[in-house]
Amino acid sequence: AHLRSLVSNLNNTSTPSRSAEARIAHTKRRPDRLWCVRLRAVTVLGALILGLCCWPFVEYAVHGWLSHGRWFPWIVRMHFSHHADPRRAYTPATAWVPAALVLFGALVLPLGAANAVAFVTGLVLGFRRYESVHFAIHYRAPRNARELRRWQHHLAHHVCNSRAYFGVTHRFTDRLFGTLPANYRDDYARVSAR
């Protein structure tokens, strides 16, 4: 009976064996899984880039609306200690780490954990860049025209008008939200003459 079954299987090549069907099904699924992995990687990378691109707006909101607003007096006090002593250029980790964790917690459900981590990581990378630029503005002389413009822009906020010049790493959000005064070139010259 066993021999007949083997001969029957050899003669009947039109129906593949169960293991052959499993191999075919497995190879058909693999490209779909690979596509999902690639799509996930692209969405995570996109979330990281989106976080980086959102940073200038977050920077403006934190500096302009929170640090110079009326809603959170403890943030205003912390920021004005920097205005009183500009050498206090760093934001303490006790302020930004909890904020990043709360933001991550708020984004996990709508974005998923991987995308939430990537987006918040993009924001944190933007924030770390902000910290290094802000530190350089207060501790180092500008080395090129771009650094000079940033230096003038931020010090105009400290010296000339604390209700304007809220962008530290850029000034396009000040243009966008109307906080770049029409006489900014005069303020830049005034700062440079100090």
Side-chain angles (χ1 to χ4, degrees), residues 67-86:
S67 299
H68 287 271
R70 295 185 181 103
W71 304 287
F72 301 98
W74 62 275
I75 293 175
V76 173
R77 277 193 304 276
M78 183 175 67
H79 182 67
F80 274 91
S81 72
H82 166 61
H83 275 263
D85 181 8

Side-chain angles (χ1 to χ4, degrees), residues 125 128 141 174:
L125 289 172
R128 298 312 304 161
D174 284 309

Side-chain angles (χ1 to χ4, degrees), residues 38-155:
R38 286 181 182 154
L39 183 61
R40 172 54 80 79
V42 167
T43 58
V44 167
L45 181 62
L48 178 77
I49 292 169
L50 184 62
L52 280 167
C53 292
C54 286
W55 171 252
F57 301 101
V58 172
E59 175 187 317
Y60 184 90
V62 168
H63 188 205
W65 299 334
L66 295 179
S67 299
H68 287 271
R70 295 185 181 103
W71 304 287
F72 301 98
W74 62 275
I75 293 175
V76 173
R77 277 193 304 276
M78 183 175 67
H79 182 67
F80 274 91
S81 72
H82 166 61
H83 275 263
D85 181 8
R87 297 281 178 161
R88 291 179 167 180
Y90 274 117
T91 306
T94 55
W96 68 266
V97 170
L101 292 173
V102 167
L103 182 63
F104 168 74
L107 294 176
V108 166
L109 285 177
L111 298 181
N115 289 333
V117 166
F119 182 79
V120 172
T121 300
L123 285 177
V124 168
L125 289 172
F127 170 71
R128 298 312 304 161
R129 179 179 173 273
Y130 156 82
E131 286 285 278
S132 65
V133 167
H134 192 213
F135 182 83
I137 287 169
H138 287 290
Y139 281 92
R140 183 177 79 209
R143 297 179 295 190
N144 55 47
R146 186 179 194 170
E147 286 183 5
L148 176 64
R149 188 174 64 240
R150 280 190 194 132
W151 181 81
Q152 291 169 327
H153 188 78
H154 186 60
L155 291 188

Side-chain angles (χ1 to χ4, degrees), residues 21-38:
E21 286 176 357
R23 280 195 307 264
I24 291 169
H26 179 69
T27 57
K28 284 183 181 176
R29 277 193 310 241
R30 273 178 88 188
D32 292 341
R33 291 172 89 193
L34 187 58
W35 172 248
C36 288
V37 168
R38 286 181 182 154

